[in-house]
Amino acid sequence: MPLTKGTAKPTTPAQPITAKQPPRQGHKDQLPVIPLIALFFLGSGAFYLLVHTRAGTGDSHYEFSRRDRINSYINIIMPVIPSSDAALPATERKQPLFSPDDAAKNHALVIFVLGGPGAGKGTQCANLVRDYGFRHLSAGDLLRAEQDRPGSEYGDMIRNIIREGQIVPSEVTIALLENAMQDTISSANNRRFLIDGFPRKMDQALAFEQRVVPSRFTLFFDCPEETMRERLLERGKTSGRADDNAESIAKRFRTFVETSMPVVEHFESEGRVVKVNASATPEEVYRRVQEQFAARGISKD
Ligand SMILES: Nc1ncnc2c1ncn2[C@@H]1O[C@H](COP(=O)(O)OP(=O)(O)OP(=O)(O)O)[C@@H](O)[C@H]1O
Ligand SMILES: O=c1ccn([C@@H]2O[C@H](COP(=O)(O)O)[C@@H](O)[C@H]2O)c(=O)[nH]1
């Protein structure tokens, strides 16, 4: 029952509760209610004054939305809880783990490196690591390492998918990339990443940019299929890779055209692709890459 003047009524039980209780009288029952009413109005008045005198000053917590208020309250009373939701798995996160803004404390520079199998992504990434101080994260290498890790629950799945030239579910690949990024930042304080061979599928592209960090741009190595096939068959003589054989190469090319090229086209439609012709010598390709980096203000560290 609300404590207002008009509705607060003394209750008169039909029967005394115990024989020792004094008989209840109306005016005595009302006595504790009056201070409570007074307290309520005093409290409300003070709250009203506080809100209205601070309104418009820009620092009033009372002008926040309810959700913001609750959040700021939680941050004040529970400062041990991080304000970002970094501890959550990527699938449950509502905001990216890192900021693409160099000025932000938790920034990360990510450049996606894409191109058909054998286009020369890994070769050029090695040059960029040497000269620009990037950390090279090859999604394929991370998957192969996970496949060979004793006790991995994903080992067999990854092995089969790679042999068939298909794409491993994005949750697995994103988790591996994210862990590698976190490790690099904490062990080497390096926040510049070349993410090679990823994203290979639209869902990966969207999920990574929403939950980990938006990329700066995609470096795309454009190379004719026949050139890539020759390079891969040559590499297959010594690489020991289970997918560097004619049958797997054909499957990888199909997946690249059908599944990965739409990702490149998507980024291209947003003006976020830097295309480099990769059919020249490795030195010439690298010269072109450096030219493009300089044009985008990415300097050697
Ligand atoms: N510009 C080039 N000219 C000739 N050979 C090259 C060139 N770039 C790379 N290669 C060779 O081609 C092979 C494939 O190169 P690399 O491993 O860099 O390609 P990739 O795009 O990373 O391949 P994958 O996607 O299969 O990992 C390697 O043996 C490499 O030495
Ligand atoms: O995001 C990714 C990246 C790679 N894969 C699988 O790995 C192989 C090999 O990748 P490389 O970049 O050539 O080393 C690729 O054919 C895919 O099967 C993936 O599933 N998801």
Side-chain angles (χ1 to χ4, degrees), residues 117-118 121 138-141 143-144 158 161-169 173 177 196-201 204 235 241 243 252 255:
K121 303 181 291 294
S138 154
D141 284 352
L143 288 167
R144 281 183 285 273
I158 294 172
I161 289 178
I162 288 184
R163 199 186 313 109
E164 290 307 309
Q166 298 290 312
I167 311 288
V168 172
T173 316
L177 286 168
D196 165 8
F198 178 95
R200 277 174 138 93
K201 209 173 172 180
Q204 291 181 329
R235 186 178 72 180
R241 278 180 56 162
D243 56 352
R252 290 160 70 194
T255 303

mmCIF file of all heavy atoms in Angstrom, residues 117-118 121 138-141 143-144 158 161-169 173 177 196-201 204 235 241 243 252 255, ligand 2:
data_model
loop_
_atom_site.group_PDB
_atom_site.id
_atom_site.type_symbol
_atom_site.label_atom_id
_atom_site.label_comp_id
_atom_site.label_asym_id
_atom_site.label_seq_id
_atom_site.Cartn_x
_atom_site.Cartn_y
_atom_site.Cartn_z
ATOM 1 N N PRO A 117 45.495 -19.444 -53.613
ATOM 2 C CA PRO A 117 46.549 -20.324 -53.087
ATOM 3 C C PRO A 117 47.786 -20.226 -53.979
ATOM 4 O O PRO A 117 47.692 -20.369 -55.195
ATOM 5 C CB PRO A 117 45.921 -21.722 -53.187
ATOM 6 C CG PRO A 117 44.440 -21.493 -53.305
ATOM 7 C CD PRO A 117 44.264 -20.169 -53.978
ATOM 8 N N GLY A 118 48.933 -19.917 -53.370
ATOM 9 C CA GLY A 118 50.179 -19.818 -54.138
ATOM 10 C C GLY A 118 50.412 -18.446 -54.749
ATOM 11 O O GLY A 118 51.382 -18.242 -55.497
ATOM 12 N N LYS A 121 51.416 -14.825 -50.812
ATOM 13 C CA LYS A 121 51.063 -14.079 -49.589
ATOM 14 C C LYS A 121 52.137 -14.248 -48.502
ATOM 15 O O LYS A 121 52.624 -13.271 -47.938
ATOM 16 C CB LYS A 121 49.697 -14.554 -49.038
ATOM 17 C CG LYS A 121 48.563 -14.436 -50.050
ATOM 18 C CD LYS A 121 47.246 -14.888 -49.478
ATOM 19 C CE LYS A 121 47.150 -16.386 -49.209
ATOM 20 N NZ LYS A 121 47.182 -17.225 -50.424
ATOM 21 N N SER A 138 49.386 -16.311 -39.977
ATOM 22 C CA SER A 138 48.787 -17.052 -41.091
ATOM 23 C C SER A 138 47.693 -17.951 -40.529
ATOM 24 O O SER A 138 47.967 -18.805 -39.675
ATOM 25 C CB SER A 138 49.865 -17.889 -41.791
ATOM 26 O OG SER A 138 49.271 -19.010 -42.425
ATOM 27 N N ALA A 139 46.467 -17.729 -40.984
ATOM 28 C CA ALA A 139 45.350 -18.548 -40.476
ATOM 29 C C ALA A 139 45.605 -20.025 -40.766
ATOM 30 O O ALA A 139 45.349 -20.894 -39.927
ATOM 31 C CB ALA A 139 44.030 -18.089 -41.095
ATOM 32 N N GLY A 140 46.153 -20.310 -41.966
ATOM 33 C CA GLY A 140 46.450 -21.699 -42.332
ATOM 34 C C GLY A 140 47.480 -22.309 -41.381
ATOM 35 O O GLY A 140 47.316 -23.440 -40.918
ATOM 36 N N ASP A 141 48.535 -21.542 -41.065
ATOM 37 C CA ASP A 141 49.568 -22.060 -40.134
ATOM 38 C C ASP A 141 48.967 -22.304 -38.762
ATOM 39 O O ASP A 141 49.276 -23.316 -38.113
ATOM 40 C CB ASP A 141 50.707 -21.034 -39.981
ATOM 41 C CG ASP A 141 51.633 -21.017 -41.198
ATOM 42 O OD1 ASP A 141 51.482 -21.896 -42.086
ATOM 43 O OD2 ASP A 141 52.494 -20.111 -41.258
ATOM 44 N N LEU A 143 45.897 -23.019 -38.048
ATOM 45 C CA LEU A 143 45.034 -24.208 -38.112
ATOM 46 C C LEU A 143 45.867 -25.492 -38.147
ATOM 47 O O LEU A 143 45.536 -26.471 -37.479
ATOM 48 C CB LEU A 143 44.111 -24.126 -39.333
ATOM 49 C CG LEU A 143 42.984 -23.094 -39.230
ATOM 50 C CD1 LEU A 143 42.322 -22.863 -40.587
ATOM 51 C CD2 LEU A 143 41.933 -23.543 -38.207
ATOM 52 N N ARG A 144 46.957 -25.465 -38.896
ATOM 53 C CA ARG A 144 47.810 -26.667 -38.953
ATOM 54 C C ARG A 144 48.423 -26.953 -37.588
ATOM 55 O O ARG A 144 48.527 -28.109 -37.172
ATOM 56 C CB ARG A 144 48.893 -26.506 -40.039
ATOM 57 C CG ARG A 144 48.373 -26.756 -41.464
ATOM 58 C CD ARG A 144 49.494 -26.669 -42.506
ATOM 59 N NE ARG A 144 49.890 -25.295 -42.747
ATOM 60 C CZ ARG A 144 49.318 -24.485 -43.632
ATOM 61 N NH1 ARG A 144 48.331 -24.932 -44.394
ATOM 62 N NH2 ARG A 144 49.728 -23.238 -43.790
ATOM 63 N N ILE A 158 39.920 -30.359 -38.599
ATOM 64 C CA ILE A 158 40.762 -29.429 -39.381
ATOM 65 C C ILE A 158 41.493 -30.195 -40.488
ATOM 66 O O ILE A 158 41.529 -29.765 -41.649
ATOM 67 C CB ILE A 158 41.770 -28.703 -38.454
ATOM 68 C CG1 ILE A 158 41.020 -27.772 -37.479
ATOM 69 C CG2 ILE A 158 42.777 -27.900 -39.276
ATOM 70 C CD1 ILE A 158 41.896 -27.157 -36.397
ATOM 71 N N ILE A 161 39.130 -31.024 -43.352
ATOM 72 C CA ILE A 161 38.685 -29.831 -44.080
ATOM 73 C C ILE A 161 39.813 -29.283 -44.955
ATOM 74 O O ILE A 161 39.604 -28.924 -46.119
ATOM 75 C CB ILE A 161 38.169 -28.750 -43.092
ATOM 76 C CG1 ILE A 161 36.837 -29.218 -42.488
ATOM 77 C CG2 ILE A 161 38.005 -27.404 -43.773
ATOM 78 C CD1 ILE A 161 36.232 -28.277 -41.470
ATOM 79 N N ILE A 162 41.036 -29.250 -44.415
ATOM 80 C CA ILE A 162 42.159 -28.719 -45.205
ATOM 81 C C ILE A 162 42.431 -29.604 -46.424
ATOM 82 O O ILE A 162 42.645 -29.115 -47.530
ATOM 83 C CB ILE A 162 43.428 -28.574 -44.319
ATOM 84 C CG1 ILE A 162 43.240 -27.390 -43.358
ATOM 85 C CG2 ILE A 162 44.674 -28.375 -45.180
ATOM 86 C CD1 ILE A 162 44.444 -27.068 -42.491
ATOM 87 N N ARG A 163 42.375 -30.913 -46.223
ATOM 88 C CA ARG A 163 42.634 -31.819 -47.360
ATOM 89 C C ARG A 163 41.612 -31.603 -48.471
ATOM 90 O O ARG A 163 41.929 -31.673 -49.646
ATOM 91 C CB ARG A 163 42.621 -33.280 -46.893
ATOM 92 C CG ARG A 163 43.321 -34.189 -47.881
ATOM 93 C CD ARG A 163 43.224 -35.674 -47.565
ATOM 94 N NE ARG A 163 43.511 -36.034 -46.199
ATOM 95 C CZ ARG A 163 42.599 -36.454 -45.304
ATOM 96 N NH1 ARG A 163 41.319 -36.542 -45.651
ATOM 97 N NH2 ARG A 163 42.938 -36.775 -44.077
ATOM 98 N N GLU A 164 40.396 -31.315 -48.070
ATOM 99 C CA GLU A 164 39.329 -31.113 -49.052
ATOM 100 C C GLU A 164 39.277 -29.680 -49.594
ATOM 101 O O GLU A 164 38.402 -29.336 -50.373
ATOM 102 C CB GLU A 164 37.967 -31.457 -48.419
ATOM 103 C CG GLU A 164 37.779 -32.952 -48.156
ATOM 104 C CD GLU A 164 38.025 -33.797 -49.404
ATOM 105 O OE1 GLU A 164 37.432 -33.487 -50.443
ATOM 106 O OE2 GLU A 164 38.845 -34.751 -49.332
ATOM 107 N N GLY A 165 40.186 -28.833 -49.092
ATOM 108 C CA GLY A 165 40.217 -27.444 -49.579
ATOM 109 C C GLY A 165 39.018 -26.634 -49.127
ATOM 110 O O GLY A 165 38.695 -25.603 -49.708
ATOM 111 N N GLN A 166 38.343 -27.103 -48.068
ATOM 112 C CA GLN A 166 37.169 -26.381 -47.559
ATOM 113 C C GLN A 166 37.596 -25.391 -46.478
ATOM 114 O O GLN A 166 38.780 -25.252 -46.189
ATOM 115 C CB GLN A 166 36.165 -27.383 -46.975
ATOM 116 C CG GLN A 166 35.613 -28.373 -47.989
ATOM 117 C CD GLN A 166 34.670 -27.705 -48.991
ATOM 118 O OE1 GLN A 166 33.789 -26.962 -48.599
ATOM 119 N NE2 GLN A 166 34.885 -27.963 -50.265
ATOM 120 N N ILE A 167 36.605 -24.740 -45.849
ATOM 121 C CA ILE A 167 36.903 -23.710 -44.853
ATOM 122 C C ILE A 167 36.484 -24.189 -43.458
ATOM 123 O O ILE A 167 35.341 -24.600 -43.251
ATOM 124 C CB ILE A 167 36.133 -22.391 -45.157
ATOM 125 C CG1 ILE A 167 36.287 -21.978 -46.625
ATOM 126 C CG2 ILE A 167 36.572 -21.279 -44.201
ATOM 127 C CD1 ILE A 167 37.622 -21.456 -47.015
ATOM 128 N N VAL A 168 37.407 -24.077 -42.526
ATOM 129 C CA VAL A 168 37.133 -24.455 -41.121
ATOM 130 C C VAL A 168 36.132 -23.448 -40.534
ATOM 131 O O VAL A 168 36.201 -22.253 -40.852
ATOM 132 C CB VAL A 168 38.473 -24.442 -40.331
ATOM 133 C CG1 VAL A 168 38.244 -24.637 -38.842
ATOM 134 C CG2 VAL A 168 39.436 -25.490 -40.889
ATOM 135 N N PRO A 169 35.189 -23.906 -39.672
ATOM 136 C CA PRO A 169 34.207 -22.970 -39.099
ATOM 137 C C PRO A 169 34.882 -21.751 -38.461
ATOM 138 O O PRO A 169 35.914 -21.868 -37.796
ATOM 139 C CB PRO A 169 33.491 -23.816 -38.037
ATOM 140 C CG PRO A 169 33.644 -25.221 -38.506
ATOM 141 C CD PRO A 169 34.965 -25.281 -39.223
ATOM 142 N N THR A 173 38.721 -20.569 -36.147
ATOM 143 C CA THR A 173 39.808 -19.750 -36.710
ATOM 144 C C THR A 173 39.902 -18.411 -35.988
ATOM 145 O O THR A 173 41.004 -17.934 -35.682
ATOM 146 C CB THR A 173 39.569 -19.546 -38.222
ATOM 147 O OG1 THR A 173 39.169 -20.794 -38.783
ATOM 148 C CG2 THR A 173 40.817 -19.062 -38.914
ATOM 149 N N LEU A 177 43.133 -16.903 -33.979
ATOM 150 C CA LEU A 177 43.718 -15.602 -34.327
ATOM 151 C C LEU A 177 43.718 -14.662 -33.127
ATOM 152 O O LEU A 177 44.708 -13.978 -32.846
ATOM 153 C CB LEU A 177 42.924 -14.962 -35.483
ATOM 154 C CG LEU A 177 43.158 -15.579 -36.863
ATOM 155 C CD1 LEU A 177 42.103 -15.074 -37.850
ATOM 156 C CD2 LEU A 177 44.564 -15.228 -37.374
ATOM 157 N N ASP A 196 47.073 -13.318 -42.625
ATOM 158 C CA ASP A 196 47.294 -13.911 -43.952
ATOM 159 C C ASP A 196 46.346 -15.095 -44.189
ATOM 160 O O ASP A 196 46.232 -15.993 -43.358
ATOM 161 C CB ASP A 196 48.786 -14.337 -43.977
ATOM 162 C CG ASP A 196 49.152 -15.273 -45.103
ATOM 163 O OD1 ASP A 196 48.330 -15.525 -45.994
ATOM 164 O OD2 ASP A 196 50.306 -15.766 -45.075
ATOM 165 N N GLY A 197 45.661 -15.052 -45.350
ATOM 166 C CA GLY A 197 44.772 -16.166 -45.701
ATOM 167 C C GLY A 197 43.469 -16.141 -44.932
ATOM 168 O O GLY A 197 42.809 -17.174 -44.761
ATOM 169 N N PHE A 198 43.073 -14.990 -44.495
ATOM 170 C CA PHE A 198 41.845 -14.815 -43.709
ATOM 171 C C PHE A 198 41.370 -13.384 -43.916
ATOM 172 O O PHE A 198 42.216 -12.480 -43.945
ATOM 173 C CB PHE A 198 42.136 -15.063 -42.221
ATOM 174 C CG PHE A 198 40.941 -14.850 -41.315
ATOM 175 C CD1 PHE A 198 40.152 -15.910 -40.935
ATOM 176 C CD2 PHE A 198 40.615 -13.570 -40.867
ATOM 177 C CE1 PHE A 198 39.052 -15.707 -40.107
ATOM 178 C CE2 PHE A 198 39.526 -13.362 -40.055
ATOM 179 C CZ PHE A 198 38.747 -14.431 -39.674
ATOM 180 N N PRO A 199 40.086 -13.110 -44.010
ATOM 181 C CA PRO A 199 38.950 -14.028 -44.001
ATOM 182 C C PRO A 199 38.709 -14.628 -45.387
ATOM 183 O O PRO A 199 38.809 -13.951 -46.391
ATOM 184 C CB PRO A 199 37.782 -13.113 -43.606
ATOM 185 C CG PRO A 199 38.185 -11.734 -44.038
ATOM 186 C CD PRO A 199 39.668 -11.688 -44.046
ATOM 187 N N ARG A 200 38.373 -15.898 -45.372
ATOM 188 C CA ARG A 200 38.159 -16.613 -46.627
ATOM 189 C C ARG A 200 36.688 -16.787 -46.933
ATOM 190 O O ARG A 200 36.322 -17.410 -47.926
ATOM 191 C CB ARG A 200 38.790 -18.008 -46.527
ATOM 192 C CG ARG A 200 40.268 -18.048 -46.809
ATOM 193 C CD ARG A 200 40.722 -19.445 -46.518
ATOM 194 N NE ARG A 200 41.642 -19.972 -47.493
ATOM 195 C CZ ARG A 200 42.963 -19.892 -47.383
ATOM 196 N NH1 ARG A 200 43.506 -19.228 -46.405
ATOM 197 N NH2 ARG A 200 43.729 -20.485 -48.284
ATOM 198 N N LYS A 201 35.843 -16.278 -46.052
ATOM 199 C CA LYS A 201 34.399 -16.473 -46.208
ATOM 200 C C LYS A 201 33.710 -15.261 -45.595
ATOM 201 O O LYS A 201 34.234 -14.686 -44.626
ATOM 202 C CB LYS A 201 34.012 -17.736 -45.415
ATOM 203 C CG LYS A 201 32.846 -18.488 -45.943
ATOM 204 C CD LYS A 201 32.694 -19.786 -45.167
ATOM 205 C CE LYS A 201 31.391 -20.440 -45.583
ATOM 206 N NZ LYS A 201 31.173 -21.684 -44.872
ATOM 207 N N GLN A 204 33.207 -15.034 -41.820
ATOM 208 C CA GLN A 204 34.441 -14.782 -41.065
ATOM 209 C C GLN A 204 34.779 -13.302 -41.086
ATOM 210 O O GLN A 204 35.199 -12.730 -40.074
ATOM 211 C CB GLN A 204 35.621 -15.519 -41.716
ATOM 212 C CG GLN A 204 35.590 -17.021 -41.607
ATOM 213 C CD GLN A 204 36.825 -17.626 -42.268
ATOM 214 O OE1 GLN A 204 37.369 -17.078 -43.233
ATOM 215 N NE2 GLN A 204 37.263 -18.760 -41.770
ATOM 216 N N ARG A 235 56.307 -25.988 -54.940
ATOM 217 C CA ARG A 235 56.434 -25.954 -53.480
ATOM 218 C C ARG A 235 56.151 -27.337 -52.885
ATOM 219 O O ARG A 235 56.774 -27.756 -51.915
ATOM 220 C CB ARG A 235 55.467 -24.914 -52.902
ATOM 221 C CG ARG A 235 55.640 -24.703 -51.404
ATOM 222 C CD ARG A 235 54.715 -23.627 -50.838
ATOM 223 N NE ARG A 235 53.320 -24.065 -50.792
ATOM 224 C CZ ARG A 235 52.315 -23.313 -50.331
ATOM 225 N NH1 ARG A 235 52.546 -22.080 -49.934
ATOM 226 N NH2 ARG A 235 51.087 -23.785 -50.308
ATOM 227 N N ARG A 241 53.192 -30.337 -47.247
ATOM 228 C CA ARG A 241 51.779 -30.012 -47.009
ATOM 229 C C ARG A 241 50.867 -31.009 -47.715
ATOM 230 O O ARG A 241 51.049 -31.326 -48.890
ATOM 231 C CB ARG A 241 51.471 -28.577 -47.490
ATOM 232 C CG ARG A 241 51.863 -27.538 -46.463
ATOM 233 C CD ARG A 241 51.565 -26.135 -46.912
ATOM 234 N NE ARG A 241 50.163 -25.913 -47.289
ATOM 235 C CZ ARG A 241 49.610 -24.719 -47.369
ATOM 236 N NH1 ARG A 241 50.324 -23.632 -47.086
ATOM 237 N NH2 ARG A 241 48.365 -24.588 -47.732
ATOM 238 N N ASP A 243 48.034 -30.607 -48.768
ATOM 239 C CA ASP A 243 47.149 -30.043 -49.796
ATOM 240 C C ASP A 243 47.928 -29.448 -50.971
ATOM 241 O O ASP A 243 47.349 -28.789 -51.832
ATOM 242 C CB ASP A 243 46.216 -28.986 -49.183
ATOM 243 C CG ASP A 243 46.966 -27.863 -48.473
ATOM 244 O OD1 ASP A 243 48.204 -27.970 -48.315
ATOM 245 O OD2 ASP A 243 46.318 -26.877 -48.086
ATOM 246 N N ARG A 252 41.087 -26.292 -53.832
ATOM 247 C CA ARG A 252 41.367 -25.000 -53.179
ATOM 248 C C ARG A 252 41.053 -23.853 -54.134
ATOM 249 O O ARG A 252 40.510 -22.815 -53.707
ATOM 250 C CB ARG A 252 42.828 -24.948 -52.735
ATOM 251 C CG ARG A 252 43.117 -25.889 -51.574
ATOM 252 C CD ARG A 252 44.586 -26.199 -51.459
ATOM 253 N NE ARG A 252 45.383 -25.062 -51.005
ATOM 254 C CZ ARG A 252 46.701 -25.011 -51.090
ATOM 255 N NH1 ARG A 252 47.378 -26.028 -51.630
ATOM 256 N NH2 ARG A 252 47.344 -23.975 -50.643
ATOM 257 N N THR A 255 37.258 -23.374 -54.182
ATOM 258 C CA THR A 255 36.787 -22.704 -52.960
ATOM 259 C C THR A 255 37.164 -21.222 -52.990
ATOM 260 O O THR A 255 36.379 -20.356 -52.592
ATOM 261 C CB THR A 255 37.398 -23.368 -51.704
ATOM 262 O OG1 THR A 255 37.045 -24.744 -51.716
ATOM 263 C CG2 THR A 255 36.898 -22.728 -50.418
HETATM 264 O O1 LIG B 2 40.689 -18.892 -42.495
HETATM 265 C C1 LIG B 2 41.062 -19.985 -42.959
HETATM 266 C C2 LIG B 2 42.347 -20.188 -43.506
HETATM 267 C C3 LIG B 2 42.681 -21.415 -43.983
HETATM 268 N N1 LIG B 2 41.813 -22.447 -43.932
HETATM 269 C C4 LIG B 2 42.173 -23.788 -44.404
HETATM 270 O O2 LIG B 2 43.582 -23.948 -44.418
HETATM 271 C C5 LIG B 2 44.021 -24.293 -45.736
HETATM 272 C C6 LIG B 2 45.392 -23.786 -45.981
HETATM 273 O O3 LIG B 2 45.436 -22.365 -45.897
HETATM 274 P P1 LIG B 2 46.690 -21.552 -46.449
HETATM 275 O O4 LIG B 2 46.356 -20.109 -46.292
HETATM 276 O O5 LIG B 2 46.866 -21.947 -47.877
HETATM 277 O O6 LIG B 2 47.867 -21.940 -45.628
HETATM 278 C C7 LIG B 2 42.938 -23.726 -46.642
HETATM 279 O O7 LIG B 2 42.895 -24.363 -47.903
HETATM 280 C C8 LIG B 2 41.680 -24.028 -45.821
HETATM 281 O O8 LIG B 2 41.315 -25.375 -45.938
HETATM 282 C C9 LIG B 2 40.563 -22.253 -43.390
HETATM 283 O O9 LIG B 2 39.743 -23.165 -43.335
HETATM 284 N N2 LIG B 2 40.215 -21.017 -42.907
#
